[in-house]
Amino acid sequence: MLKPTSRLNQKEEKLLWAVKWWYQFTTPMSSDREIERKTRIFSLVVFLLLLDNIFYAASGILSGSIYLLSVLGIETVLTVVAIFFNRRSKVLLAGIIVTLTYTSGIMASIIPVQHISTGVFPLFALLIIPELLAAALLPALSILALAVLNSIFMLAIIELKPAVAGFTSFAVFSYFFILVSVLLLAAGISFVLVDGLQTALAQRNRAEEIAELERQLAIVAEAKAREKQQLDYSIQLINDAQARFANGEMDIRVPLTSNNVLWPVAGALNNLFVRLQRQQELQQNNERVIKAITNLHTIIQNQNQGPAYHPSGTIVDQLAMALLPPHMFEQDKVHRDKVHIEHKKARRI
């Protein structure tokens, strides 16, 4: 049961590969969905036309018709030219070339006919092919225009070519009006279908554009909402940092990264916090120095009889060590030993 399925998948893969190769050869790489759709339709139509030319060429070879083979050769060359323009995304020009080429080719196959007979009218019926090409590749109005052109061509052939013996004018024009009605009916139905299809496609494209615009607007709105949320959060962090710094937390900083929109503000505020912290530390150090100098001055004035000197952690402590005896320092045993050592060094000097 698995082998037929496997073979079918292989055939489908080969078919898909062939279709992709044909698209790569005949269609452009475009991001526009409408252009991609039109160029792919043109590519498929051209593939069918070339395949049809192969059968006509076989008929021409078997019948030995050099004229038919020449017409088919010209059609093939002009079709390749149309593919070139389709590859350049000029779909309308490519469609015009193909439609006029095959219209002219069919007309050229009819013109050499010497007499009007029942065998001519099947050739006239081939003129429905250009109408189908126009329906697939050209604007809707071109279908009606081509139907009128084909009717005029058939009327001209009937008027210019003599009928075979026994084929009356009544029979000729009966066939003619039947074919004209068929061509005009096919053109009318094709016009209605193509016009409706083009209108539906235009509405779909408009709906897709609106949906895409709404999607982009939603993305922009979501991005703005995130940005506003980030901005509000960043402002809250800045306000909290200012409040905590004002309450004495001198080491507080605004925790914003460089990808934040308020990063410059946060950086400037953090620099200000650092400067203010350093100024406060310098001020506190100056206050300790002044207090230590005042304390030392009081002890010296009292001729070392005043209260013990309390170390301030400033440069004044070294001056006090040089001027006061060890017992005048208010400290633990470790610091007292350190003071004794400093005194001994000072006396040696």
Side-chain angles (χ1 to χ4, degrees):
M1 294 298 292
L2 295 177
K3 290 184 178 179
T5 304
S6 178
R7 291 177 182 176
L8 181 61
N9 291 335
Q10 291 178 357
K11 291 181 180 179
E12 289 178 352
E13 290 179 358
K14 291 180 180 179
L15 180 61
L16 289 175
W17 179 85
V19 172
K20 289 181 180 179
W21 176 85
W22 178 251
Y23 279 150
Q24 290 177 355
F25 177 71
T26 57
T27 60
M29 297 294 295
S30 176
S31 58
D32 191 327
R33 293 182 60 183
E34 185 64 17
I35 292 179
E36 182 181 5
R37 182 187 67 83
K38 290 181 178 180
T39 53
R40 290 201 169 194
I41 290 176
F42 177 88
S43 176
L44 290 175
V45 170
V46 165
F47 175 78
L48 295 175
L49 290 174
L50 293 177
L51 189 63
D52 186 62
N53 282 357
I54 293 174
F55 291 104
Y56 277 106
S59 175
I61 293 173
L62 294 176
S63 62
S65 176
I66 304 299
Y67 181 78
L68 178 59
L69 293 176
S70 302
V71 171
L72 292 174
I74 295 173
E75 286 181 350
T76 303
V77 171
L78 292 177
T79 301
V80 173
V81 172
I83 291 175
F84 171 80
F85 286 109
N86 188 64
R87 289 271 301 174
R88 301 299 184 274
S89 299
K90 297 180 180 179
V91 189
L92 180 59
L93 179 58
I96 291 173
I97 293 174
V98 168
T99 303
L100 293 180
T101 295
Y102 281 85
T103 303
S104 304
I106 294 172
M107 290 181 177
S109 300
I110 297 173
I111 290 175
V113 173
Q114 299 296 324
H115 299 88
I116 301 298
S117 64
T118 54
V120 176
F121 289 96
L123 297 177
F124 284 151
L126 294 176
L127 290 172
I128 199 173
I129 295 176
E131 294 183 8
L132 297 177
L133 293 178
L137 306 177
L138 299 179
L141 287 175
S142 63
I143 305 171
L144 300 178
L146 201 57
V148 173
L149 176 63
N150 291 337
S151 300
I152 294 173
F153 172 76
M154 287 191 300
L155 181 61
I157 292 295
I158 290 173
E159 290 292 334
L160 295 175
K161 301 288 183 177
V164 296
F167 200 53
T168 63
S169 298
F170 176 79
V172 171
F173 279 99
S174 296
Y175 280 111
F176 168 75
F177 284 116
I178 291 173
L179 278 177
V180 169
S181 64
V182 171
L183 291 177
L184 292 178
L185 180 62
I189 294 175
S190 299
F191 172 79
V192 172
L193 292 177
V194 172
D195 184 65
L197 179 61
Q198 290 177 348
T199 302
L201 289 174
Q203 292 176 351
R204 188 202 68 178
N205 292 337
R206 191 178 301 111
E208 289 180 351
E209 290 176 357
I210 293 174
E212 178 65 19
L213 181 60
E214 290 177 349
R215 188 184 68 83
Q216 292 179 358
L217 290 175
I219 293 175
V220 171
E222 184 180 356
K224 287 186 176 180
R226 287 198 304 267
E227 185 177 350
K228 182 179 182 300
Q229 183 179 5
Q230 184 187 40
L231 186 63
D232 294 339
Y233 178 71
S234 302
I235 292 174
Q236 184 63 37
L237 288 178
I238 291 175
N239 291 334
D240 291 344
Q242 288 178 333
R244 293 174 65 181
F245 188 85
N247 291 330
E249 296 185 36
M250 305 303 295
D251 58 344
I252 192 66
R253 299 293 182 268
V254 182
L256 295 183
T257 57
S258 58
N259 59 349
N260 194 289
V261 67
L262 292 181
W263 162 247
V265 178
L269 190 61
N270 287 336
N271 291 334
L272 178 62
F273 286 167
V274 171
R275 294 191 186 97
L276 292 176
Q277 184 180 13
R278 289 176 180 174
Q279 289 180 1
Q280 187 180 34
E281 290 175 353
L282 289 175
Q283 183 178 359
Q284 291 175 352
N285 186 66
N286 292 335
E287 290 176 355
R288 289 197 301 270
V289 170
I290 293 173
K291 183 178 179 180
I293 291 175
T294 303
N295 188 14
L296 180 61
H297 180 262
T298 301
I299 294 173
I300 293 175
Q301 276 190 339
N302 294 332
Q303 297 180 354
N304 298 334
Q305 299 299 320
Y309 177 80
H310 182 73
S312 61
T314 64
I315 194 173
V316 180
D317 293 347
Q318 297 180 2
L319 180 61
M321 289 179 184
L323 297 177
L324 299 178
H327 69 274
M328 294 300 298
F329 283 84
E330 189 178 287
Q331 52 198 339
D332 55 21
K333 183 179 183 302
V334 176
H335 290 117
R336 190 179 298 112
D337 294 340
K338 183 178 179 181
V339 171
H340 278 291
I341 294 172
E342 292 294 336
H343 272 283
K344 288 180 181 180
K345 288 182 179 179
R347 289 174 182 176
R348 289 175 184 177
I349 295 174

